C-alpha cells in the first residue's frame, strides 16, 4: 500500500513540474534555514558541555552596591581562592585565574604572540584539560608553562617540547611541563598557554606586596568545583559574607556596598550571564530564543506554501478523490495517500536542503565565527533529520490531506466540485499568516539596522583615525624616553603617551573618591579610571573643555587628575579646575575637564571618568600618526624602532578606529542574521505567491477572455488580478506591526542609548511589501492579460 502511495505521489510530482518545483524548492530553503539555525542554537546550547565536570563547575561572583545600584561582577580579590579552599569543605577544587593576556613566547629565533592565563593547578582536573604529552599535573611546578598542541608545534615544530625552555615576555624562562588539547571554539576558557597562578607572586612585586592579602582589590577570577551532592544554595549561604567578614570595621562596606559572594553554575555561563539589581535576568539566551522563533517562522512559511498550492489545485485532484471514494477508499486511506505525497516532497526537499546547507555552511561559520558542521556520519544527526522531515511533511500536508479527503464523491462525479465564494478563505488566511511572519522579520531587521547606525553616528569624543596602540613591555617602559624621541624624529609620529588601557577600552573602575560637599555614601560611587602620564589629551585627540593636559612644566601634575563631563556632573562641581579631590587618602588637584569620551559600549551611557597621572601604572603605548604620511609608510618607519627597543616581541599594533568599529560586531552579526532570514522568508513567501498567482490566472482565464472581448485593457486586468493579493498584504502589515513593535521594544530595552521606533519604519515596510507582491504577481497577471481571448473561449 505504501509503495503504491509513493508511486502515485511521484507521478503527481512529475505531472505538475512547476508546482512541484515551487513546493520542493520553497520547502528546501525553509528546511535549510531551520537546519542552519538549529546548528547555531545547538552550538550555543552545548557550550562547555565537553567538560566532564560540567554539572559541578561554578564561577564565583559577587554582588556589590555602588551609588545606589546593585551590580554583579566576576572580578574578585587575590586571596579568595586560598580562603575558599582552606575554610570551606564544599569544594573539591578551587582555581584562581587572571583575565588572560597576550604574551610573547620565544624559542630561539621563533617568537609568537599568544593568549593565555595564569591559573591554579586544580584547573587541570576541574576543566578536564586533556594532556597529550607530559606531566598529568603540569601546573604544580612554579616556573612551568603548559602549551596547546598548536602553540607547541609553532614554537618547536616536530620536536618534543616537554622539558624545553620557553622565554616569556623576554623576562622569564619557563619549562614546558605538558602539551594539551586546545579547547573547543564554544568553550568559555580559551588559551594558547597556561602558567601557574602562584608564579605571579614571584615575578611581580606589586602582587606580593599589595594583593596577596588585599581584599579590597578585585582583579581576578575564581572557579570552583563543588563536591558531589553539595547543594549550591547552601554553599551560597555559607560563603555569602567571605569578603564582608574582612571589613568588619568598615562602615561603608557594611552599610552601603554590602558585598555578597555566590557561585554561578557553568550551565549558565554562556546564556544566562546578565544580572540586574542582583538578580539573574538572562543574557544571550534571548537571542537563542529569538532565532529559534525565526527558524520556526521560516519553516512555517514554507509549509504554508505547500498547503496553499495543494488546496488551490483541489479541482485538479477532485475527480481522483471521487473515483477513489466510489470504488471503496476510506477517508483515512485518502489522508494516507496525500500525507505520503507531502512526506515524499519533504524528503526530496531534505536532500536539497542538506546540499544548500553544505554550500552555505562555510560562509555561515565565517559570519558567526564558529566551527559548526553537519555530522553526516553520526546516526543521531540522521535520526534528528528523519524526525524533522516527518514532522515537516506532516505539518505541510495535514491541511491539504484533510481538505481533499473531505470531498463528496457524488457531487464531484456529477459535475465537478463547486466550492462557493468562501472556498478561497482558508488560502487567504494562510497567505495573511505567511506574510505576517515575513513582515515581522522585515520590521525587526530594519529596526536592528537603525539602532546600529544610531550608535555608530554617536559622537565618540576623541579622534580615532590615525591612532594606534601597542601593548607595553618591561623593555619598552625601560627605554620609553629613547623610544619617544626616536619615534618623533621619524616625522611619521606627532605624539606619544602611555596608559593603563587602550584608547577604546577602560580596564579599571574605582570608588573611594571624595570631593567638596561629598557624603560618606558618595565614596561608593564608581568612576572609570585611566592612568597615564604626559600628552594623553594631545595623543588620544580628546577635546579639552576646560583647563589643560598634564605637562612636564608643572611638577604638581604628579598628583593631578582630569575629569570628563559626566564626572563633573556626578560630583556637582561648578568650577572644577583647581578643585582638590581625595582618592584613597591621597589628594589630587583637577587640572582639566575633557569631553565625554566613548571608550566602553556605544549603546550605554558614558560613565564618569577620572584620568589620573600615574606614570608607572601603564600597559599600553599610544601613538598619534602624522596624517600627512600614509599609515602603511608610517608603520614601516616605526617598526624598526620597536624591534630595536622590544627585541623579544613581534611588532603588534592595533588601529583605534578598527578596534572601535569592532564594538559593533556582535550587533551587526545579529542584524546580518536577521536580514538574511528576513530575505529568505520573503523569497519563500513570494515563491508561493507566484505559484498561487499562476493558478489563479489559469483558473480565471475564461473570465479574463470575456473581459478582454468586452474592452478591458491590460492595466484593468492587471489590477483585477493584483488587488486581492495587495489587500492581503495590507492586512498582514496591520497584524504584523503591533507584534513587531512590541518585540523590538523589548529588544531595545536592553540598551540605554537607543532609537525611538517611529511610524516611518512601518510605512516603509508596507511599501516594500506591496512592491514585492506586485512584482511577484505581475508576471502572471500581465501574461494572462496579454493572452489571446480566442484560445480561452473557444471551448464555449
Amino acid at each position: 500500500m505504501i509503495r503504491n502511495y509513493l508511486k502515485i505521489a511521484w507521478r503527481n510530482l512529475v505531472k505538475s513540474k512547476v508546482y512541484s518545483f515551487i513546493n520542493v524548492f520553497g520547502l528546501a530553503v525553509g528546511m535549510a534555514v531551520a537546519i542552519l539555525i538549529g546548528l547555531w542554537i545547538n552550538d550555543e546550547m552545548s557550550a562547555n558541555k565537553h567538560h566532564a565536570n560540567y554539572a559541578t563547575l561554578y564561577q564565583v561572583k559577587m554582588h556589590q552596591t555602588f551609588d545606589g545600584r546593585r551590580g554583579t561582577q566576576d572580578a574578585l580579590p587575590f586571596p579568595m581562592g586560598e580562603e575558599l579552599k582552606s575554610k570551606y569543605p564544599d569544594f573539591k577544587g578551587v582555581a584562581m585565574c587572571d583575565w588572560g593576556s597576550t604574551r610573547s613566547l620565544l624559542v630561539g629565533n621563533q617568537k609568537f604572540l599568544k593568549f593565555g592565563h595564569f591559573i591554579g593547578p586544580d584547573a587541570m582536573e576541574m576543566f578536564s584539560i586533556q594532556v597529550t604529552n607530559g606531566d598529568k599535573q603540569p601546573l604544580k611546578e612554579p616556573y612551568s608553562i603548559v602549551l596547546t598542541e598548536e602553540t607547541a608545534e609553532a614554537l618547536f615544530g616536530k620536536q618534543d617540547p616537554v622539558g624545553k625552555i620557553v622565554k616569556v615576555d623576554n623576562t622569564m624562562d619557563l619549562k614546558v611541563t605538558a602539551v594539551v588539547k586546545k579547547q573547543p571554539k564554544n568553550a568559555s576558557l580559551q588559551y594558547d598557554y597556561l602558567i601557574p597562578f602562584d608564579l605571579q607572586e614571584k615575578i611581580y612585586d606589586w602582587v606580593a606586596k599589595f594583593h596577596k592579602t588585599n581584599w579590597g582589590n578585585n582583579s581576578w577570577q575564581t572557579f570552583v568545583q563543588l563536591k558531589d551532592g553539595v547543594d549550591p544554595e547552601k554553599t551560597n549561604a555559607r560563603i555569602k559574607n567571605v569578603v564582608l567578614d574582612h571589613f568588619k570595621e568598615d562602615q561603608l562596606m557594611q552599610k552601603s556596598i554590602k558585598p555578597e559572594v555566590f557561585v554561578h553554575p557553568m550551565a549558565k555561563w554562556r546564556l544566562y550571564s546578565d544580572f540586574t539589581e542582583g538578580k539573574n535576568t538572562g543574557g544571550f539566551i534571548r537571542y537563542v530564543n529569538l532565532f529559534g522563533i525565526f527558524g520556526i517562522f521560516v519553516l512555517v512559511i514554507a509549509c504554508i506554501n505547500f498547503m496553499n498550492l495543494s488546496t488551490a489545485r483541489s479541482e485538479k485532484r477532485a475527480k481522483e478523490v471521487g473515483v477513489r471514494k466510489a470504488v471503496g477508499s476510506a477517508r483515512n486511506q485518502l489522508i494516507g495517500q496525500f500525507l505520503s505525497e507531502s512526506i515524499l516532497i519533504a524528503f526530496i526537499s531534505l536532500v536539497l536542503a542538506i546540499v544548500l546547507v553544505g554550500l552555505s555552511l562555510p560562509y555561515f561559520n565565517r559570519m558567526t565565527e564558529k566551527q559548526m558542521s553537519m555530522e553526516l556520519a553520526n546516526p543521531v544527526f540522521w535520526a534528528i533529520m528523519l524526525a524533522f522531515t516527518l514532522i515537516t511533511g506532516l505539518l505541510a500536508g495535514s491541511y491539504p490531506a484533510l481538505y481533499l479527503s473531505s470531498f463528496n464523491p457524488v457531487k464531484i462525479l456529477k459535475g465537478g466540485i463547486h466550492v462557493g465564494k468562501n472556498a478561497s478563505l482558508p488560502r487567504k488566511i494562510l497567505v495573511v499568516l505567511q506574510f505576517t511572519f515575513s513582515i515581522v522579520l522585515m520590521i525587526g531587521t530594519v529596526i536592528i539596522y537603525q539602532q546600529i547606525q544610531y550608535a555608530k553616528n554617536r559622537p565618540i569624543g576623541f579622534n580615532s583615525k590615525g591612532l594606534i596602540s601597542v601593548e607595553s613591555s618591561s623593555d619598552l617602559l625601560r627605554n620609553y624616553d629613547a623610544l619617544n624621541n626616536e619615534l618623533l624624529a621619524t616625522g611619521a609620529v606627532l605624539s606619544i603617551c602611555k596608559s593603563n588601557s587602550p584608547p577604546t577600552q577602560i580596564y579599571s573602575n574605582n570608588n573611594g573618591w571624595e570631593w567638596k560637599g561629598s557624603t560618606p555614601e558618595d565614596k561608593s560611587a564608581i568612576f572609570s579610571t585611566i592612568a597615564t602620564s604626559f600628552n594623553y589629551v594631545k595623543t588620544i585627540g580628546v577635546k579639552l573643555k576646560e583647563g589643560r593636559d598634564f605637562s612636564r612644566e608643572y611638577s604638581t601634575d604628579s598628583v593631578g587628575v582630569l575629569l570628563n563631563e559626566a564626572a563633573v556632573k556626578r560630583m556637582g562641581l561648578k568650577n572644577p579646575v583647581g578643585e582638590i579631590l581625595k582618592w584613597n587618602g591621597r589628594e589630587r588637584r583637577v587640572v582639566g575637564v575633557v569631553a565625554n569620551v566613548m571608550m566602553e559600549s556605544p549603546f550605554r551611557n558614558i560613565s564618569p571618568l577620572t584620568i589620573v597621572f600615574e606614570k608607572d601604572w601603564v600597559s599600553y603605548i599610544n601613538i598619534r600618526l602624522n596624517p600627512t604620511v600614509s599609515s602603511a609608510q608610517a608603520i614601516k618607519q616605526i617598526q624598526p624602532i620597536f624591534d630595536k627597543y622590544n627585541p623579544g616581541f613581534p611588532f603588534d599594533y592595533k588601529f583605534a578606529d578598527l578596534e572601535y568599529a569592532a564594538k559593533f560586531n556582535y550587533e551587526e552579526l545579529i542584524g546580518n542574521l536577521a536580514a538574511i532570514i528576513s530575505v529568505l522568508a520573503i523569497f519563500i513567501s513570494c515563491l508561493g505567491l507566484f505559484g498561487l498567482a499562476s493558478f489563479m490566472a489559469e483558473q480565471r482565464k475564461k473570465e479574463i477572455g470575456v473581459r478582454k472581448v468586452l474592452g478591458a485593457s491590460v492595466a484593468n486586468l492587471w489590477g483585477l488580478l493584483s488587488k486581492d493579493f495587495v489587500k492581503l498584504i495590507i492586512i498582514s502589515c496591520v497584524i504584523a506591526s503591533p507584534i513587531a513593535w512590541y518585540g523590538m521594544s523589548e529588544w531595545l530595552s536592553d540598551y540605554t542609548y537607543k532609537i525611538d521606533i517611529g511610524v516611518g519604519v512601518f510605512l516603509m515596510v508596507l511599501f516594500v511589501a506591496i512592491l514585492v507582491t506586485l512584482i511577484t504577481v505581475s508576471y502572471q497577471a500581465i501574461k494572462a492579460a496579454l493572452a489571446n481571448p480566442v484560445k480561452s473561449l473557444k471551448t464555449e
Side-chain angles (χ1 to χ4, degrees), residues 733-776:
C733 282
V734 171
I735 297 172
S737 293
I739 297 172
W741 178 86
Y742 175 78
M744 296 314 298
S745 294
E746 288 294 305
W747 180 73
L748 288 170
S749 65
D750 292 325
Y751 299 100
T752 307
Y753 188 80
K754 60 189 176 184
I755 62 170
D756 294 320
I757 302 176
V759 69
V761 63
F762 302 102
L763 294 176
M764 182 185 73
V765 169
L766 172 61
F767 172 77
V768 171
I770 292 175
L771 181 63
V772 169
T773 301
L774 289 174
I775 292 172
T776 303

Side-chain angles (χ1 to χ4, degrees), residues 772-785:
V772 169
T773 301
L774 289 174
I775 292 172
T776 303
V777 303
S778 287
Y779 172 78
Q780 295 295 345
I782 294 172
K783 178 182 176 183

Side-chain angles (χ1 to χ4, degrees), residues 690-712:
F690 181 85
L692 205 56
S694 174
F695 173 78
M696 296 283 284
E698 181 184 348
Q699 191 181 44
R700 300 177 69 177
K701 65 182 179 180
K702 286 186 172 61
E703 177 193 347
I704 293 169
V706 171
R707 287 179 180 273
K708 283 199 74 174
V709 169
L710 294 176

